[in-house]
Amino acid sequence: MCGIVGYIGKRRVVPIIIEGLKRLEYRGYDSAGIVYMQDGKLEKHRCEGKLVNLEELMDDIETASRAGLGHTRWATHGAPSEANAHPHSDCTGEIVIVHNGIIENYHSLREELQSKGHHFSSETDTEVLAHLIEEMLDGDIAKAVRQAVSHVEGSYALGVMWTGEPDRLIAVRNQSPLVLGVKEGGGSFMASDIPALLPYTKDVIFLDDQEMAVLKKDSLSVCRVDNGEKVEKEIETIDWNAGMAEKAGYKHFMLKEIFEQPQAILNTVRGRFDAETGKISLPEVLLSDEELAGIKRISLVACGTSWHAALVAKYWLEKWAAIPTEVDIASEFRYRRLLLDEHTLVVPISQSGETADTLAGMRLAKSLKARIIAICNVVGSTVTREADGTIYTHAGPEIGVASTKAFTSQLVALFLLTMKIAQAKKMISGEESAALCNVLIDLPEILEKEIPRIQEEMDVISEEFVRCRDFLYLGRGANFPIALEGALKLKEISYIHAEGYAAGELKHGPIALIDKDMPVLALVPKDPVYKKVISNVEEVKARHGRIILVGTEGDEDLRRISDHVIYLPEIHEDLNPILYTIPLQLLAYKIANLRGCDVDQPRNLAKSVTVE
Ligand code: F6R
């Protein structure tokens, strides 16, 4: 949500900012803008809509400026328009600001500033900060920014420039991500996320909440916002490369990321278990086997697709580790009475590690003394820095807004955690867990073969269903959350209304929807609830629903009761949720593509949901 890029150094700033903003497009936005220092003045250009509009605008402008800020805005306060696009200025136009987050007390601040004679030119919450800084400014921009933010409630990542000190950019962070880039030989960067920095540097500094950085062309310093005290920050080297954040010949990032799942799964499993003994090695968990064995309850907290991963893990944790496991949507978790203590393990699951509700839930759990082990894909993200330990998924950058490889690798990480706890509790033999983990190791090879085949089958099926208005997905057991995930994938990228149901729930309401126009996709692997799901499918067939089944290779019975069958190889039933996700991702992708939807950046959605 919103993207910030800033640079000061020896190179021309405009191409760096435009390229950086492109690499943040996945975050979601509806307007864009840029500001740079030119002959002692700040030149600002903004436009509504996609970045290409800003690029075209900049094509006609010659500048050799070496310092500037760029922004993509995802509207919260005020419609997407040029006037509301960032950067925003104070009354004099000598201070500019870009902002990601929400200023919660902007209304009262705005009234106060207006009563002092400040004139506002946008409807945004952000603009109050530019005027507040103007109000505080007394020859030192860093000091003025620190004073200004002390009046602000809410979340913010800020980039600020002032004509009075043209040799510096100011960066501030509070509850919205901001990462700094340092380059040997000069040049300092700021960005909302790492992909924007990758073409220039892999050496980064993660700002923490309430920290401010002063960026100059050949140096960078960080201090506390509240007292101005210097903070020594560690430079971390990112092992992603710029190519990982590019499409590599695929039409969309989403398709590329679906095809990257074998590698992502391998990266998640690699080095984490012994193929002979089955022993799981997850030193990141930071709890001894005795401590793990002493856990009385597990609470999984996440949003969206990550929440679906949590729902699957509940089946695993209760089956193999015999620990009562609750699953919460983070935005609900944080507003209910929580009965957590030091014997509860709370597992926040987040691809980005920046989701506001998940973070808030995690902080709440921490304040109640629960142990926190996160599952996350983004090294250095806020969740990982605040959790007691993090199991990284190592899936590589996920740029498509719809989560695919992040989801399947979250499942793998959660399965490994399940095995780890089950082993600590001596609930599973080495032999049994070795057999299960060896399936995980074989899975990438299976997927390498299956993904291209399923893709071809989906070409046909998607043509048939491209014009449908609704879709039902059914599953039981650990595949019920996969039905939810299939429905979410379809609705978010194709805008077709889709619902996932536990198949047994069908006759308690949704069956009323079934007629010849209702497509129903059911997951029917040969597992202990197979016959139950088949009965539910028969109920659909009796009402003339159009049926797509995803089931086990060789199960010819499926053809009798369906319009289409997608066969998948037989693997251990517990790991089916990972395998059965793939056709659902591809069906959603193909349908959305045929409908001409913007698959990587669906309307109204943002990759990183950094506001509540
Ligand atoms: C859907 C999707 C979202 C995210 C959700 C949580 O495809 O990607 O539902 O799963 O916004 O995001 P993270 O995992 O970054 O906390």
Side-chain angles (χ1 to χ4, degrees):
M1 265 176 181
C2 297
I4 292 177
V5 179
Y7 171 73
I8 184 162
K10 293 181 193 151
R11 301 173 57 164
R12 287 175 188 256
V13 72
V14 170
I16 290 179
I17 288 180
I18 298 280
E19 176 63 24
L21 291 178
K22 279 187 191 164
R23 287 168 174 268
L24 297 181
E25 277 194 294
Y26 70 88
R27 296 171 66 83
Y29 70 101
D30 34 46
S31 59
I34 191 167
V35 65
Y36 51 87
M37 198 67 79
Q38 177 84 44
D39 306 325
K41 286 202 180 125
L42 287 164
E43 292 289 337
K44 197 166 78 174
H45 304 280
R46 304 177 294 177
C47 36
E48 201 184 321
K50 292 292 175 193
L51 257 179
V52 64
N53 301 343
L54 183 66
E55 247 184 310
E56 279 170 13
L57 195 77
M58 296 311 296
D59 276 350
D60 298 333
I61 296 168
E62 262 298 310
T63 171
S65 173
R66 262 79 172 151
L69 295 167
H71 189 269
T72 42
R73 172 176 185 254
W74 191 85
T76 56
H77 297 68
S81 65
E82 188 185 328
N84 288 333
H86 299 212
H88 289 288
S89 311
D90 68 330
C91 297
T92 64
E94 291 173 3
I95 301 168
V96 286
I97 172 167
V98 291
H99 166 222
N100 173 15
I102 290 182
I103 311 292
E104 284 164 8
N105 58 338
Y106 87 100
H107 197 66
S108 57
L109 287 173
R110 186 173 169 127
E111 279 180 351
E112 201 183 313
L113 287 158
Q114 276 170 330
S115 73
K116 288 183 177 164
H118 288 264
H119 174 73
F120 282 77
S121 51
S122 79
E123 304 158 278
T124 64
D125 53 336
T126 301
E127 197 186 343
V128 296
L129 255 168
H131 293 276
L132 205 54
I133 296 169
E134 178 187 4
E135 197 61 27
M136 307 288 167
L137 187 60
D138 188 14
D140 180 344
I141 188 67
K143 191 166 161 209
V145 172
R146 282 182 35 229
Q147 286 174 341
V149 296
S150 72
H151 295 269
V152 163
E153 288 160 25
S155 59
Y156 45 84
L158 304 175
V160 184
M161 292 175 84
W162 177 44
T163 51
E165 288 176 296
D167 64 335
R168 65 198 61 192
L169 308 180
I170 306 294
V172 191
R173 178 204 153 118
N174 189 48
Q175 293 172 25
S176 279
L178 200 57
V179 56
L180 311 176
V182 283
K183 188 156 176 65
E184 218 175 295
S188 303
F189 302 78
M190 70 173 93
S192 302
D193 200 358
I194 295 163
L197 305 178
L198 288 176
Y200 314 105
T201 182
K202 288 186 194 164
D203 293 333
V204 303
I205 292 173
F206 295 102
L207 272 189
D208 281 302
D209 283 347
Q210 288 294 318
E211 285 181 350
M212 184 177 91
V214 177
L215 282 68
K216 296 187 179 176
K217 72 176 188 315
D218 42 23
S219 69
L220 184 163
S221 61
V222 179
C223 71
R224 295 271 326 149
V225 167
D226 49 1
N227 55 19
E229 263 174 33
K230 191 168 185 306
V231 183
E232 290 302 336
K233 300 291 286 185
E234 209 181 305
I235 297 182
E236 298 183 39
T237 303
I238 299 301
D239 64 358
W240 294 353
N241 61 47
M244 282 166 122
E246 285 161 11
K247 284 189 204 150
Y250 287 90
K251 184 168 180 197
H252 294 102
F253 279 111
M254 182 179 174
L255 188 62
K256 175 179 175 241
E257 287 156 5
I258 290 173
F259 273 79
E260 282 173 348
Q261 287 176 109
Q263 189 59 48
I265 289 173
L266 202 60
N267 291 348
T268 315
V269 184
R270 193 176 273 154
R272 283 174 159 163
F273 91 103
D274 183 316
E276 307 262 292
T277 61
K279 183 134 183 68
I280 302 289
S281 157
L282 285 175
E284 316 81 317
V285 166
L286 297 183
L287 301 180
S288 65
D289 279 2
E290 290 68 40
E291 286 172 307
L292 282 177
I295 289 167
K296 299 273 178 288
R297 203 147 60 92
I298 295 180
S299 185
L300 307 172
V301 184
C303 302
T305 286
S306 298
W307 175 66
H308 297 154
L311 289 171
V312 173
K314 174 182 165 74
Y315 288 86
W316 291 337
L317 284 159
E318 293 188 338
K319 174 174 175 178
W320 292 105
I323 302 187
T325 301
E326 286 176 4
V327 179
D328 273 274
I329 294 174
S331 54
E332 293 297 316
F333 180 80
R334 60 184 292 196
Y335 294 115
R336 71 177 175 86
R337 182 173 176 201
L338 295 175
L339 304 173
L340 311 176
D341 58 24
E342 66 276 24
H343 303 295
T344 314
L345 176 66
V346 172
V347 183
I349 306 165
S350 174
Q351 184 282 132
S352 61
E354 301 293 352
T355 301
D357 284 315
T358 308
L359 263 166
M362 177 179 92
R363 288 175 180 148
L364 205 56
K366 217 171 165 182
S367 72
L368 296 170
K369 306 219 166 9
R371 318 297 292 261
I372 317 282
I373 303 298
I375 309 266
C376 189
N377 192 39
V378 179
V379 175
S381 56
T382 311
V383 161
T384 68
R385 281 179 291 130
E386 296 190 18
D388 297 328
T390 299
I391 305 175
Y392 281 108
T393 44
H394 301 307
E398 189 178 71
I399 309 290
V401 163
S403 189
T404 52
K405 65 174 178 173
F407 175 66
T408 42
S409 57
Q410 281 168 348
L411 290 177
V412 173
L414 285 160
F415 191 79
L416 292 172
L417 179 63
T418 303
M419 290 293 111
K420 170 93 188 149
I421 300 173
Q423 287 177 2
K425 287 189 72 187
K426 304 201 187 327
M427 302 287 301
I428 190 167
S429 70
E431 218 174 28
E432 224 171 347
S433 54
L436 282 160
C437 291
N438 280 320
V439 178
L440 274 184
I441 284 285
D442 292 342
L443 204 50
E445 209 180 311
I446 296 175
L447 295 185
E448 287 289 358
K449 237 177 53 210
E450 295 301 321
I451 294 174
R453 182 186 63 78
I454 301 168
Q455 187 193 17
E456 273 178 33
E457 287 183 30
M458 285 307 177
D459 279 336
V460 179
I461 299 178
S462 56
E463 291 276 358
E464 187 178 325
F465 292 97
V466 65
R467 261 171 258 294
C468 66
R469 289 172 48 111
D470 307 277
F471 229 106
L472 286 185
Y473 288 74
L474 305 178
R476 283 181 100 127
N479 290 311
F480 157 50
I482 303 306
L484 294 177
E485 173 60 7
L488 177 62
K489 282 291 89 93
L490 185 69
K491 72 183 123 189
E492 70 178 329
I493 60 169
S494 76
Y495 319 139
I496 293 173
H497 169 240
E499 302 284 345
Y501 278 99
E505 269 292 287
L506 196 64
K507 57 172 84 63
H508 299 287
I511 200 163
L513 294 169
I514 309 286
D515 62 16
K516 64 176 179 25
D517 296 322
M518 176 62 89
V520 178
L521 184 149
L523 303 170
V524 281
K526 282 270 183 167
D527 64 10
V529 286
Y530 169 78
K531 286 206 175 120
K532 305 282 173 203
V533 189
I534 292 292
S535 306
N536 302 135
V537 173
E538 296 277 11
E539 291 156 12
V540 175
K541 189 174 163 63
R543 287 158 186 84
H544 311 292
R546 294 155 76 191
I547 300 169
I548 307 168
L549 297 180
V550 186
T552 311
E553 242 163 36
D555 183 357
E556 289 304 316
D557 286 352
L558 299 183
R559 295 198 194 276
R560 184 184 54 81
I561 48 169
S562 64
D563 299 274
H564 299 276
V565 189
I566 297 136
Y567 284 114
L568 293 173
E570 186 161 12
I571 60 169
H572 190 287
E573 71 190 47
D574 278 3
L575 294 166
N576 275 333
I578 306 175
L579 181 60
Y580 277 63
T581 298
I582 310 294
L584 278 48
Q585 294 171 340
L586 282 164
L587 179 64
Y589 172 79
K590 292 280 168 176
I591 290 181
N593 195 30
L594 283 176
R595 287 165 71 97
C597 300
D598 189 345
V599 173
D600 283 333
Q601 289 159 44
R603 68 185 181 204
N604 306 335
L605 286 175
K607 181 72 182 162
S608 195
V609 186
T610 51
V611 296
E612 185 177 345

